[in-house]
Amino acid sequence: MIAPLPSTGWQPAPARTLPVAVPASLRLRGLLGQTVALAWAPKASADTLDFTLDATEWLRGTGDYLASVAASVPTASGQETDMRVLWATLVNGMACLFLSGGAPGTVQTVLVSVTTQQGRSLSQPVSIAIHSTSPATPAATAPCLPDGTAVPPNALALSNTVILTTESGCPYLLA
């Protein structure tokens, strides 16, 4: 098992980083635990920002690391101003997303799915409120490969215009 490599060129914003909470175990008492609801800080429709989930506590004591991350916005309705995931990647062992758009005055749900090197998986819904005081803005676009694959900031690059990719066309990442 290989530990995540540190990403030196880009860092997630600590103000928008949430720990993946470990729910309390109440089974011994015959009680059912409540689902842990996570929410990132609100954003304006025009904001294009990074949001991060830190799985350190969830994986504590396992020797395991995140191996992949994917994200979607199940509350999107097909509108130009819907919140959009521009890219999802691993940075310094954390699941990092770049989000844009969102209809003002709504609460959007982002479903973040992670898989570890040892095969653990988690699908974590995270809420994010969109300020009602800002106008609706179409979601931005991310830098992309010619086939439309988004290029996150930790993609390995030979130059400003050449991104290293796998045989399947995905960018190689510095996790």
Side-chain angles (χ1 to χ4, degrees):
M1 183 171 12
I2 299 170
L5 298 171
S7 293
T8 56
W10 188 86
Q11 297 297 317
R16 292 182 301 277
T17 299
L18 291 176
V20 174
V22 179
S25 177
L26 301 173
R27 296 185 83 199
L28 292 176
R29 297 183 185 103
L31 302 172
L32 295 176
Q34 294 291 321
T35 303
V36 177
L38 295 180
W40 278 306
K43 70 180 262 337
S45 181
D47 294 345
T48 300
L49 299 168
D50 58 290
F51 293 86
T52 304
L53 286 181
D54 183 352
T56 304
E57 285 301 312
W58 180 62
L59 295 172
R60 184 170 303 286
T62 65
D64 205 356
Y65 301 96
L66 295 183
S68 66
V69 61
S72 63
V73 182
T75 52
S77 60
Q79 301 300 313
E80 183 180 64
T81 57
D82 279 344
M83 180 178 288
R84 185 179 321 160
V85 178
L86 300 182
W87 50 255
T89 190
L90 298 175
V91 176
N92 297 334
M94 298 182 287
C96 194
L97 319 174
F98 213 48
L99 303 177
S100 182
T106 64
V107 176
Q108 301 295 306
T109 299
V110 179
L111 184 61
V112 182
S113 300
V114 295
T115 304
T116 69
Q117 289 181 343
Q118 294 177 3
R120 292 173 175 88
S121 64
L122 174 73
S123 290
Q124 178 67 58
V126 185
S127 298
I128 183 166
I130 310 301
H131 291 295
S132 60
T133 56
S134 64
T137 305
T141 58
C144 293
L145 297 175
D147 68 355
T149 303
V151 178
N154 61 338
L156 294 177
L158 296 176
S159 68
N160 287 341
T161 59
V162 179
I163 304 295
L164 292 177
T165 60
T166 64
E167 288 179 14
S168 64
C170 296
Y172 277 108
L173 302 176
L174 198 65

